[in-house]
Amino acid sequence: MSELPEHVRRNRESWDSWAHEYVEAAERNWAAADPTWGIWGVPESDLRMLPEDADGLDVIELGCGTAYVSAWLARRGARPVGIDNSEAQLETARRLQAEHRIEFPLHHGNAEDVPFPDASFDFAISEYGASIWCDPYRWIPETARLLRPGGGLVFLVNSVLLSLCVPDAENEAASDRLLRPQFGMHRFEWSDDDSVEFHLPHGEMLALLRANGFDVEELLDVRPPDGSTTRYPFVTLEWAQRWPCEEVWKARRR
Ligand SMILES: C[S@@+](CC[C@H](N)C(=O)[O-])C[C@H]1O[C@@H](n2cnc3c(N)ncnc32)[C@H](O)[C@@H]1O
């Protein structure tokens, strides 16, 4: 464990301790016929995060957690592989694989340094996985290496605006005040736990993707439908219907 980067080691300890809180959502999502995304459960028909035709695609889910996204892809004919930094999260994934009789490889490891050869995959996806817990200056180049030319990358993250407005206090929701600068944003540490997150401004993310051989095809501001609910206290529906609290990036490897 000592060879892991400091933020990866800290996030491993955090996620091993939080995994039990994600079991219920995992069971619900594994059982769901229709995918829903993010903290509000926005339907796939609104966001179209999965490939139109996944049949036969080699797919990697980066920071797969309980791996329900990979399960949705497997049901659509893809050959997914999941990688996650938390053995406890993967334990839930393995149990649900057995219960649903959907088997695919699950690797315990760091999505910034993936043990697969260059150009192994047609599609990479991350919903709050590598996309927020890995350093983008490490996981984006690594994903570019793993994808074949023409391969797709889709990821969902907290929006830039939310990252600037969310208070560093447990159970407090974002207000309409900017609490920190956008210039220089990259690594985030919160005072109530030991984890490390990464969030980049749009211009910097765009430049990073392009520098690593990606064309950006879409940047979606996620607006939850009326009546949406979330178990997370850091944003209200009123806020999320006025400003985007989540965003989806869709890019393609040149
Ligand atoms: C919020 S879960 C994402 C899974 C699922 N889509 C979800 O939203 O519940 C975040 C996952 O990222 C994983 N993670 C954190 N750092 C990672 C890293 N360096 N490499 C791979 N996975 C990582 C955590 O272990 C955790 O399972």
Short mmCIF file of all heavy atoms in Angstrom, two decimals, residues 7-8 11-12 15-16 22 25 29 37-38 61-69 83-87 89-90 109-112 126-130 132-135 196 231-232, ligand 1:
data_model
loop_
_atom_site.label_atom_id
_atom_site.label_comp_id
_atom_site.label_asym_id
_atom_site.label_seq_id
_atom_site.Cartn_x
_atom_site.Cartn_y
_atom_site.Cartn_z
N HIS A 7 -2.98 10.46 -2.18
CA HIS A 7 -4.44 10.64 -2.26
C HIS A 7 -5.15 9.32 -2.51
O HIS A 7 -6.27 9.11 -2.04
CB HIS A 7 -4.81 11.68 -3.33
CG HIS A 7 -4.43 11.29 -4.72
ND1 HIS A 7 -3.18 11.46 -5.23
CD2 HIS A 7 -5.15 10.73 -5.73
CE1 HIS A 7 -3.13 11.04 -6.48
NE2 HIS A 7 -4.32 10.58 -6.81
N VAL A 8 -4.50 8.39 -3.22
CA VAL A 8 -5.12 7.09 -3.51
C VAL A 8 -5.19 6.26 -2.23
O VAL A 8 -6.20 5.59 -1.95
CB VAL A 8 -4.34 6.35 -4.63
CG1 VAL A 8 -4.95 4.98 -4.89
CG2 VAL A 8 -4.32 7.18 -5.89
N ASN A 11 -7.95 7.78 -0.12
CA ASN A 11 -9.28 7.47 -0.65
C ASN A 11 -9.62 5.99 -0.48
O ASN A 11 -10.79 5.63 -0.30
CB ASN A 11 -9.37 7.89 -2.12
CG ASN A 11 -9.46 9.41 -2.25
OD1 ASN A 11 -9.85 10.09 -1.30
ND2 ASN A 11 -9.10 9.93 -3.41
N ARG A 12 -8.61 5.13 -0.50
CA ARG A 12 -8.86 3.70 -0.26
C ARG A 12 -9.39 3.52 1.17
O ARG A 12 -10.39 2.82 1.39
CB ARG A 12 -7.57 2.89 -0.47
CG ARG A 12 -7.75 1.43 -0.19
CD ARG A 12 -6.56 0.62 -0.66
NE ARG A 12 -6.48 0.57 -2.11
CZ ARG A 12 -5.60 -0.17 -2.80
NH1 ARG A 12 -4.72 -0.91 -2.16
NH2 ARG A 12 -5.60 -0.17 -4.12
N TRP A 15 -13.01 4.95 1.34
CA TRP A 15 -14.05 4.16 0.67
C TRP A 15 -14.24 2.79 1.31
O TRP A 15 -15.37 2.28 1.32
CB TRP A 15 -13.77 4.08 -0.83
CG TRP A 15 -14.38 5.28 -1.48
CD1 TRP A 15 -13.75 6.43 -1.86
CD2 TRP A 15 -15.77 5.49 -1.73
NE1 TRP A 15 -14.67 7.34 -2.34
CE2 TRP A 15 -15.91 6.79 -2.27
CE3 TRP A 15 -16.91 4.71 -1.55
CZ2 TRP A 15 -17.16 7.32 -2.63
CZ3 TRP A 15 -18.15 5.23 -1.90
CH2 TRP A 15 -18.26 6.52 -2.44
N ASP A 16 -13.19 2.20 1.85
CA ASP A 16 -13.39 0.94 2.57
C ASP A 16 -14.31 1.18 3.77
O ASP A 16 -15.13 0.32 4.12
CB ASP A 16 -12.05 0.35 3.01
CG ASP A 16 -11.35 -0.39 1.87
OD1 ASP A 16 -12.02 -0.73 0.88
OD2 ASP A 16 -10.13 -0.62 1.98
N TYR A 22 -23.24 2.15 0.81
CA TYR A 22 -23.56 2.10 -0.63
C TYR A 22 -24.20 0.78 -1.06
O TYR A 22 -24.49 0.59 -2.24
CB TYR A 22 -22.29 2.41 -1.44
CG TYR A 22 -21.97 3.89 -1.37
CD1 TYR A 22 -21.40 4.44 -0.22
CD2 TYR A 22 -22.32 4.75 -2.39
CE1 TYR A 22 -21.17 5.80 -0.10
CE2 TYR A 22 -22.10 6.11 -2.29
CZ TYR A 22 -21.52 6.63 -1.15
OH TYR A 22 -21.32 7.99 -1.05
N ALA A 25 -28.10 1.19 -2.31
CA ALA A 25 -28.17 1.79 -3.66
C ALA A 25 -27.67 0.79 -4.70
O ALA A 25 -28.20 0.70 -5.81
CB ALA A 25 -27.35 3.07 -3.71
N ASN A 29 -29.76 -0.45 -7.86
CA ASN A 29 -29.26 -0.17 -9.22
C ASN A 29 -28.98 -1.45 -10.01
O ASN A 29 -29.21 -1.49 -11.22
CB ASN A 29 -28.02 0.72 -9.15
CG ASN A 29 -28.39 2.17 -8.92
OD1 ASN A 29 -29.34 2.69 -9.49
ND2 ASN A 29 -27.64 2.85 -8.06
N TRP A 37 -28.94 8.12 -13.26
CA TRP A 37 -27.59 8.61 -13.01
C TRP A 37 -27.51 9.68 -11.93
O TRP A 37 -28.42 10.50 -11.79
CB TRP A 37 -27.02 9.21 -14.30
CG TRP A 37 -26.94 8.23 -15.43
CD1 TRP A 37 -27.84 8.10 -16.46
CD2 TRP A 37 -25.93 7.23 -15.64
NE1 TRP A 37 -27.43 7.08 -17.29
CE2 TRP A 37 -26.27 6.54 -16.82
CE3 TRP A 37 -24.78 6.85 -14.95
CZ2 TRP A 37 -25.49 5.49 -17.33
CZ3 TRP A 37 -24.01 5.81 -15.45
CH2 TRP A 37 -24.37 5.14 -16.62
N GLY A 38 -26.38 9.68 -11.26
CA GLY A 38 -26.03 10.77 -10.36
C GLY A 38 -26.86 10.79 -9.10
O GLY A 38 -27.58 9.84 -8.78
N GLU A 61 -14.90 0.37 -16.69
CA GLU A 61 -15.53 1.31 -15.75
C GLU A 61 -14.47 1.69 -14.71
O GLU A 61 -13.98 0.85 -13.96
CB GLU A 61 -16.76 0.69 -15.07
CG GLU A 61 -17.47 1.74 -14.22
CD GLU A 61 -18.69 1.23 -13.46
OE1 GLU A 61 -19.02 0.03 -13.56
OE2 GLU A 61 -19.30 2.05 -12.75
N LEU A 62 -14.14 2.97 -14.66
CA LEU A 62 -13.01 3.47 -13.87
C LEU A 62 -13.49 3.98 -12.52
O LEU A 62 -14.13 5.03 -12.44
CB LEU A 62 -12.32 4.59 -14.66
CG LEU A 62 -11.76 4.15 -16.02
CD1 LEU A 62 -11.59 5.34 -16.95
CD2 LEU A 62 -10.46 3.39 -15.85
N GLY A 63 -13.21 3.23 -11.49
CA GLY A 63 -13.78 3.52 -10.17
C GLY A 63 -15.21 3.01 -10.16
O GLY A 63 -16.16 3.74 -9.95
N CYS A 64 -15.33 1.69 -10.39
CA CYS A 64 -16.66 1.08 -10.63
C CYS A 64 -17.47 0.95 -9.36
O CYS A 64 -18.69 0.74 -9.43
CB CYS A 64 -16.50 -0.28 -11.29
SG CYS A 64 -15.61 -1.49 -10.27
N GLY A 65 -16.84 1.03 -8.19
CA GLY A 65 -17.59 0.84 -6.94
C GLY A 65 -18.30 -0.49 -6.96
O GLY A 65 -17.69 -1.55 -7.17
N THR A 66 -19.63 -0.45 -6.79
CA THR A 66 -20.40 -1.70 -6.74
C THR A 66 -20.75 -2.21 -8.14
O THR A 66 -21.45 -3.20 -8.27
CB THR A 66 -21.68 -1.47 -5.91
OG1 THR A 66 -22.41 -0.37 -6.48
CG2 THR A 66 -21.32 -1.15 -4.47
N ALA A 67 -20.32 -1.51 -9.17
CA ALA A 67 -20.28 -2.01 -10.56
C ALA A 67 -21.64 -2.17 -11.24
O ALA A 67 -21.77 -2.92 -12.20
CB ALA A 67 -19.46 -3.30 -10.65
N TYR A 68 -22.64 -1.41 -10.77
CA TYR A 68 -23.94 -1.53 -11.44
C TYR A 68 -23.90 -0.96 -12.86
O TYR A 68 -24.63 -1.43 -13.73
CB TYR A 68 -25.07 -0.88 -10.62
CG TYR A 68 -24.81 0.54 -10.19
CD1 TYR A 68 -25.05 1.60 -11.04
CD2 TYR A 68 -24.33 0.81 -8.91
CE1 TYR A 68 -24.81 2.92 -10.64
CE2 TYR A 68 -24.08 2.12 -8.50
CZ TYR A 68 -24.33 3.16 -9.37
OH TYR A 68 -24.07 4.44 -8.98
N VAL A 69 -23.04 0.02 -13.11
CA VAL A 69 -22.94 0.57 -14.48
C VAL A 69 -22.42 -0.52 -15.42
O VAL A 69 -22.93 -0.72 -16.53
CB VAL A 69 -22.04 1.82 -14.51
CG1 VAL A 69 -21.83 2.30 -15.94
CG2 VAL A 69 -22.63 2.94 -13.65
N ILE A 83 -12.62 -1.52 -12.50
CA ILE A 83 -11.46 -1.36 -11.60
C ILE A 83 -11.88 -0.41 -10.49
O ILE A 83 -12.53 0.61 -10.73
CB ILE A 83 -10.20 -0.86 -12.34
CG1 ILE A 83 -9.01 -0.74 -11.35
CG2 ILE A 83 -10.42 0.45 -13.09
CD1 ILE A 83 -7.65 -0.66 -12.01
N ASP A 84 -11.53 -0.78 -9.26
CA ASP A 84 -11.87 0.07 -8.12
C ASP A 84 -10.79 -0.06 -7.05
O ASP A 84 -10.18 -1.12 -6.86
CB ASP A 84 -13.24 -0.28 -7.53
CG ASP A 84 -13.78 0.86 -6.68
OD1 ASP A 84 -13.40 0.96 -5.49
OD2 ASP A 84 -14.55 1.68 -7.22
N ASN A 85 -10.64 1.04 -6.31
CA ASN A 85 -9.61 1.18 -5.29
C ASN A 85 -10.02 0.57 -3.95
O ASN A 85 -9.20 0.45 -3.05
CB ASN A 85 -9.37 2.70 -5.16
CG ASN A 85 -8.17 3.06 -4.33
OD1 ASN A 85 -7.21 2.30 -4.25
ND2 ASN A 85 -8.21 4.24 -3.73
N SER A 86 -11.31 0.20 -3.81
CA SER A 86 -11.82 -0.27 -2.52
C SER A 86 -12.24 -1.73 -2.60
O SER A 86 -13.19 -2.08 -3.31
CB SER A 86 -13.02 0.59 -2.07
OG SER A 86 -13.75 -0.09 -1.09
N GLU A 87 -11.55 -2.57 -1.85
CA GLU A 87 -11.89 -4.00 -1.80
C GLU A 87 -13.30 -4.17 -1.21
O GLU A 87 -14.04 -5.07 -1.62
CB GLU A 87 -10.84 -4.74 -0.97
CG GLU A 87 -10.93 -6.25 -1.00
CD GLU A 87 -10.97 -6.87 -2.39
OE1 GLU A 87 -10.09 -6.56 -3.21
OE2 GLU A 87 -11.90 -7.65 -2.66
N GLN A 89 -15.93 -2.16 -1.54
CA GLN A 89 -16.91 -1.89 -2.60
C GLN A 89 -16.98 -3.09 -3.56
O GLN A 89 -18.06 -3.51 -3.98
CB GLN A 89 -16.50 -0.63 -3.38
CG GLN A 89 -16.73 0.67 -2.64
CD GLN A 89 -18.18 1.14 -2.82
OE1 GLN A 89 -19.08 0.65 -2.14
NE2 GLN A 89 -18.38 2.07 -3.72
N LEU A 90 -15.82 -3.63 -3.90
CA LEU A 90 -15.80 -4.77 -4.83
C LEU A 90 -16.45 -6.01 -4.24
O LEU A 90 -17.00 -6.83 -4.96
CB LEU A 90 -14.35 -5.07 -5.27
CG LEU A 90 -13.72 -3.97 -6.13
CD1 LEU A 90 -12.25 -4.27 -6.40
CD2 LEU A 90 -14.47 -3.81 -7.46
N GLY A 109 -7.60 -1.91 -7.72
CA GLY A 109 -6.43 -1.13 -8.10
C GLY A 109 -6.77 0.33 -8.31
O GLY A 109 -7.90 0.77 -8.08
N ASN A 110 -5.75 1.05 -8.78
CA ASN A 110 -5.84 2.49 -8.95
C ASN A 110 -6.11 2.82 -10.42
O ASN A 110 -5.33 2.43 -11.29
CB ASN A 110 -4.49 3.09 -8.49
CG ASN A 110 -4.39 4.57 -8.74
OD1 ASN A 110 -5.39 5.24 -9.03
ND2 ASN A 110 -3.18 5.09 -8.62
N ALA A 111 -7.20 3.53 -10.70
CA ALA A 111 -7.57 3.83 -12.08
C ALA A 111 -6.62 4.82 -12.75
O ALA A 111 -6.77 5.12 -13.93
CB ALA A 111 -9.00 4.36 -12.13
N GLU A 112 -5.65 5.32 -12.00
CA GLU A 112 -4.62 6.17 -12.62
C GLU A 112 -3.50 5.32 -13.22
O GLU A 112 -2.61 5.84 -13.88
CB GLU A 112 -4.01 7.10 -11.56
CG GLU A 112 -5.02 8.05 -10.94
CD GLU A 112 -4.45 8.77 -9.72
OE1 GLU A 112 -3.35 8.43 -9.26
OE2 GLU A 112 -5.14 9.69 -9.23
N SER A 126 -17.20 6.59 -16.22
CA SER A 126 -17.04 6.80 -14.79
C SER A 126 -18.13 7.70 -14.28
O SER A 126 -18.29 8.84 -14.73
CB SER A 126 -15.67 7.42 -14.49
OG SER A 126 -15.54 7.62 -13.11
N GLU A 127 -18.89 7.20 -13.33
CA GLU A 127 -19.92 8.00 -12.65
C GLU A 127 -19.41 8.24 -11.23
O GLU A 127 -19.47 7.34 -10.39
CB GLU A 127 -21.25 7.23 -12.61
CG GLU A 127 -22.38 7.99 -11.94
CD GLU A 127 -23.45 7.06 -11.36
OE1 GLU A 127 -23.13 5.93 -10.93
OE2 GLU A 127 -24.63 7.48 -11.34
N TYR A 128 -18.87 9.43 -10.98
CA TYR A 128 -18.33 9.76 -9.66
C TYR A 128 -17.26 8.76 -9.21
O TYR A 128 -17.12 8.51 -8.00
CB TYR A 128 -19.43 9.80 -8.60
CG TYR A 128 -20.34 11.00 -8.65
CD1 TYR A 128 -21.71 10.85 -8.76
CD2 TYR A 128 -19.82 12.28 -8.56
CE1 TYR A 128 -22.56 11.95 -8.78
CE2 TYR A 128 -20.66 13.39 -8.58
CZ TYR A 128 -22.02 13.22 -8.70
OH TYR A 128 -22.84 14.32 -8.71
N GLY A 129 -16.54 8.14 -10.14
CA GLY A 129 -15.47 7.21 -9.78
C GLY A 129 -14.13 7.91 -9.95
O GLY A 129 -13.84 8.92 -9.30
N ALA A 130 -13.30 7.37 -10.88
CA ALA A 130 -12.04 8.05 -11.20
C ALA A 130 -12.30 9.52 -11.51
O ALA A 130 -11.46 10.38 -11.25
CB ALA A 130 -11.40 7.37 -12.41
N ILE A 132 -13.90 11.81 -10.15
CA ILE A 132 -13.69 12.81 -9.08
C ILE A 132 -12.63 12.39 -8.06
O ILE A 132 -12.10 13.24 -7.34
CB ILE A 132 -14.98 13.24 -8.34
CG1 ILE A 132 -15.53 12.14 -7.43
CG2 ILE A 132 -16.04 13.75 -9.30
CD1 ILE A 132 -16.54 12.69 -6.40
N TRP A 133 -12.30 11.09 -7.97
CA TRP A 133 -11.39 10.64 -6.90
C TRP A 133 -9.97 10.47 -7.40
O TRP A 133 -9.06 10.23 -6.59
CB TRP A 133 -11.89 9.33 -6.28
CG TRP A 133 -13.26 9.47 -5.71
CD1 TRP A 133 -14.42 9.06 -6.29
CD2 TRP A 133 -13.63 10.10 -4.48
NE1 TRP A 133 -15.49 9.39 -5.49
CE2 TRP A 133 -15.03 10.03 -4.38
CE3 TRP A 133 -12.90 10.71 -3.45
CZ2 TRP A 133 -15.73 10.55 -3.30
CZ3 TRP A 133 -13.59 11.23 -2.37
CH2 TRP A 133 -15.00 11.15 -2.29
N CYS A 134 -9.77 10.52 -8.71
CA CYS A 134 -8.41 10.41 -9.27
C CYS A 134 -7.98 11.79 -9.76
O CYS A 134 -8.80 12.61 -10.16
CB CYS A 134 -8.39 9.44 -10.44
SG CYS A 134 -8.59 7.73 -9.93
N ASP A 135 -6.67 11.98 -9.79
CA ASP A 135 -6.13 13.23 -10.31
C ASP A 135 -6.33 13.24 -11.83
O ASP A 135 -5.82 12.36 -12.53
CB ASP A 135 -4.64 13.33 -9.96
CG ASP A 135 -4.06 14.69 -10.32
OD1 ASP A 135 -4.61 15.36 -11.22
OD2 ASP A 135 -3.06 15.08 -9.69
N VAL A 196 -9.75 12.76 -0.60
CA VAL A 196 -9.24 13.81 -1.50
C VAL A 196 -10.01 13.73 -2.81
O VAL A 196 -10.11 12.65 -3.40
CB VAL A 196 -7.74 13.60 -1.79
CG1 VAL A 196 -7.20 14.73 -2.66
CG2 VAL A 196 -6.94 13.48 -0.50
N ARG A 231 -30.32 11.54 -1.41
CA ARG A 231 -29.98 11.31 0.00
C ARG A 231 -28.82 12.19 0.43
O ARG A 231 -28.37 12.14 1.57
CB ARG A 231 -29.68 9.83 0.24
CG ARG A 231 -28.40 9.32 -0.38
CD ARG A 231 -28.34 7.81 -0.26
NE ARG A 231 -27.24 7.22 -0.98
CZ ARG A 231 -26.15 6.74 -0.40
NH1 ARG A 231 -26.00 6.80 0.91
NH2 ARG A 231 -25.20 6.17 -1.11
N TYR A 232 -28.28 12.96 -0.51
CA TYR A 232 -27.11 13.78 -0.19
C TYR A 232 -27.52 15.17 0.27
O TYR A 232 -28.33 15.82 -0.40
CB TYR A 232 -26.17 13.86 -1.40
CG TYR A 232 -25.64 12.51 -1.78
CD1 TYR A 232 -26.26 11.75 -2.77
CD2 TYR A 232 -24.54 11.97 -1.11
CE1 TYR A 232 -25.79 10.49 -3.10
CE2 TYR A 232 -24.07 10.71 -1.44
CZ TYR A 232 -24.69 9.97 -2.43
OH TYR A 232 -24.23 8.73 -2.74
C1 LIG B 1 -19.26 6.98 -5.70
S1 LIG B 1 -18.40 5.48 -6.06
C2 LIG B 1 -18.60 5.34 -7.80
C3 LIG B 1 -19.36 4.10 -8.12
C4 LIG B 1 -20.79 4.31 -8.48
N1 LIG B 1 -20.92 4.78 -9.84
C5 LIG B 1 -21.51 5.23 -7.54
O1 LIG B 1 -21.82 6.38 -7.93
O2 LIG B 1 -21.79 4.80 -6.41
C6 LIG B 1 -16.71 6.02 -6.01
C7 LIG B 1 -15.74 4.87 -6.20
O3 LIG B 1 -14.49 5.39 -6.67
C8 LIG B 1 -13.51 4.52 -6.16
N2 LIG B 1 -12.18 5.13 -6.25
C9 LIG B 1 -11.65 6.13 -5.52
N3 LIG B 1 -10.38 6.35 -5.89
C10 LIG B 1 -10.09 5.47 -6.88
C11 LIG B 1 -8.93 5.18 -7.64
N4 LIG B 1 -7.79 5.87 -7.48
N5 LIG B 1 -8.99 4.16 -8.54
C12 LIG B 1 -10.12 3.45 -8.71
N6 LIG B 1 -11.24 3.68 -8.01
C13 LIG B 1 -11.24 4.68 -7.11
C14 LIG B 1 -13.95 4.30 -4.74
O4 LIG B 1 -13.31 3.18 -4.16
C15 LIG B 1 -15.45 4.14 -4.90
O5 LIG B 1 -15.84 2.80 -5.00
#
